[in-house]
Amino acid sequence: MVEQPANVDAAVNTPVVVDSNDDGTVAQELELEHMRSTLEEAIVETRSTPLENRPRLPRIALSKRNRAVVRALNPMLVTYLEASRELCETGSILFGAALAVCRIIGAKVSTAARATGHSSAIPAWRRRIEERIAKARALIGRLICFRSGNNRPRIVRTVRMAFAGTNVSLSQPDITQKLTERIDDLKQRIAAWGKRIRRYTERSTRFNQNRLFQSDQKRLYESLERPMVSGTGPAPNQADTVAFWRGLWSEPVNHSKGPWTEVVASQCAGITPMDPVIITPDDVAEAVRRAPNWKSPGLDGLHHYWLKGFMVCHSVLARQFQEALNQKSLPSLFTTGITHLVPKDQGTTG
């Protein structure tokens, strides 16, 4: 009882030497643990979600922080990928990892299903400029009403906001001239914004044509010769359209072999068979490296960017692609697509 206070005082007064890197190490371990738990939740959620109900992955910025998160999750995927037995399961794991990255960096992920979501065809920059033009036109209308003698509280409040930050008072004698000058200024701005839209549109058209010239010249020339269809005509009947294409794709067809098949077979008899194809991880890495980062994904919703970032999947994909090649069988994910009907002229009805 006598020695206890002395021991307590000694323990309290004893200096504690703390490494300056301890806080950083603990914080880093906590952050990695948070990433690991987020990855686990995303993969479990993706596995239990049908393919058509998966969220739409956004395009993330190519910043150092985002790349660091991808590199941190890369070794964590080894355990999941080693247990993968097929290509669909591997794609599900990679989609869950991409979803975890988006949640860690705070990227906005669309909760709507990818099959029902329709992105606007109008670019964001054009929508912003058109919103400015609409607001300016509304303000011009309020200013003209005030200049005509309309003194309703809403009109007066809008006019005061239009002259906020200036020395213009609504009671001064030359307020009509100031209103006219403000209206002319807004009209000039609207004209300038309209020219900007036209200039940006022409630049975008030139850029797309140059890129299409490098990839598919025939398609470019066809688009120049044939005007684009606006699609303002009557829409085709959905039931008739589904029945037509179902008759082409869903019904089994028995093809009869003609005499030309024997001729082709005899001509090909002397051809030396090609060597067996061996798919290596380097082949997968090279194919992924040459693919665009954010090209429109397939049914799995996975962009090429994630295949580039999660490099541990290359060996697994190479092995599973090799197995599919040897078995001469691919999952339905690789043989199923989405068909979009594009009318060829204004009179298209079916």
Side-chain angles (χ1 to χ4, degrees):
M1 295 295 295
V2 176
E3 296 178 355
Q4 185 175 1
N7 294 336
V8 172
D9 294 339
V12 171
N13 297 327
T14 301
V16 180
V17 179
V18 181
D19 187 3
S20 60
N21 294 327
D22 283 351
D23 294 341
T25 304
V26 172
Q28 185 178 5
E29 292 178 354
L30 292 176
E31 186 176 359
L32 290 176
E33 186 64 27
H34 170 67
M35 291 182 180
R36 189 174 288 106
S37 62
T38 304
L39 176 63
E40 176 71 21
E41 294 175 359
I43 292 179
V44 172
E45 177 183 342
T46 304
R47 285 176 172 174
S48 60
T49 304
L51 198 65
E52 62 274 7
N53 294 334
R54 289 181 181 178
R56 183 186 297 272
L57 293 176
R59 299 182 180 184
I60 64 174
L62 303 179
S63 61
K64 293 183 179 180
R65 175 177 175 271
N66 295 347
R67 292 177 180 175
V69 174
V70 174
R71 286 196 301 267
L73 292 184
N74 192 45
M76 301 180 188
L77 293 175
V78 175
T79 305
Y80 301 96
L81 292 175
E82 287 179 350
S84 177
R85 294 293 178 266
E86 58 178 358
L87 287 169
C88 293
E89 186 177 359
T90 301
S92 177
I93 294 172
L94 295 176
F95 187 92
L99 183 61
V101 172
C102 295
R103 291 176 176 175
I104 292 172
I105 65 178
K108 185 177 180 181
V109 180
S110 175
T111 57
R114 293 183 295 109
T116 58
H118 298 280
S119 60
S120 176
I122 303 177
W125 59 266
R126 180 163 184 168
R127 288 199 303 270
R128 289 193 296 266
I129 297 177
E130 289 179 348
E131 289 175 359
R132 296 176 191 172
I133 294 175
K135 292 180 180 179
R137 287 175 176 171
L139 182 56
I140 289 175
R142 298 288 179 86
L143 295 176
I144 292 176
C145 290
F146 182 79
R147 189 177 60 178
S148 301
N150 190 338
N151 295 326
R152 287 186 299 174
R154 181 184 298 179
I155 300 296
V156 174
R157 184 168 57 250
T158 304
V159 175
R160 286 177 179 174
M161 292 176 60
F163 289 103
T166 62
N167 296 327
V168 178
S169 175
L170 301 186
S171 59
Q172 65 187 40
D174 59 342
I175 186 61
T176 303
Q177 180 182 356
K178 297 296 182 181
L179 289 170
T180 304
E181 293 176 356
R182 181 62 173 163
I183 292 172
D184 293 340
D185 178 68
L186 291 174
K187 290 181 178 179
Q188 292 177 6
R189 291 189 179 187
I190 291 175
W193 287 331
K195 292 181 180 179
R196 184 180 300 179
I197 290 178
R198 290 191 294 271
R199 187 171 66 252
Y200 286 179
T201 303
E202 292 175 357
R203 187 265 174 194
S204 178
T205 303
R206 289 195 301 269
F207 176 81
N208 293 332
Q209 289 178 351
N210 291 336
R211 185 172 59 179
L212 189 60
F213 180 80
Q214 297 177 356
S215 59
D216 192 348
Q217 297 183 12
K218 180 180 178 181
R219 183 180 171 188
L220 171 63
Y221 295 141
E222 289 179 351
S223 64
L224 295 177
E225 294 175 357
R226 183 177 56 197
M228 297 297 295
V229 180
S230 60
T232 57
N237 183 273
Q238 183 177 2
D240 296 340
T241 304
V242 172
F244 174 78
W245 289 105
R246 182 174 292 168
L248 292 178
W249 290 346
S250 300
E251 300 297 333
V253 179
N254 296 324
H255 299 281
S256 59
K257 296 183 178 180
W260 62 270
T261 58
E262 299 179 359
V263 176
V264 174
S266 61
Q267 293 176 351
C268 298
I271 299 177
T272 304
M274 64 179 296
D275 297 332
V277 177
I278 305 299
I279 303 176
T280 63
D282 294 336
D283 297 334
V284 177
E286 179 63 19
V288 171
R289 184 189 66 82
R290 298 168 55 184
N293 282 341
W294 303 112
K295 188 177 181 180
S296 180
L299 294 179
D300 57 354
L302 200 64
H303 298 90
H304 294 140
Y305 172 82
W306 305 109
L307 298 179
K308 296 179 182 181
F310 301 133
M311 294 181 293
V312 294
C313 73
H314 294 171
S315 58
V316 179
L317 290 176
R319 173 174 55 81
Q320 293 177 348
F321 278 131
Q322 187 67 48
E323 293 175 357
L325 182 63
N326 297 336
Q327 298 173 2
K328 300 180 181 180
S329 175
L330 281 174
S332 59
L333 177 65
F334 293 86
T335 58
T336 305
I338 301 175
T339 301
H340 297 276
L341 301 182
V342 180
K344 296 297 185 292
D345 53 44
Q346 297 289 349
T348 301
T349 57

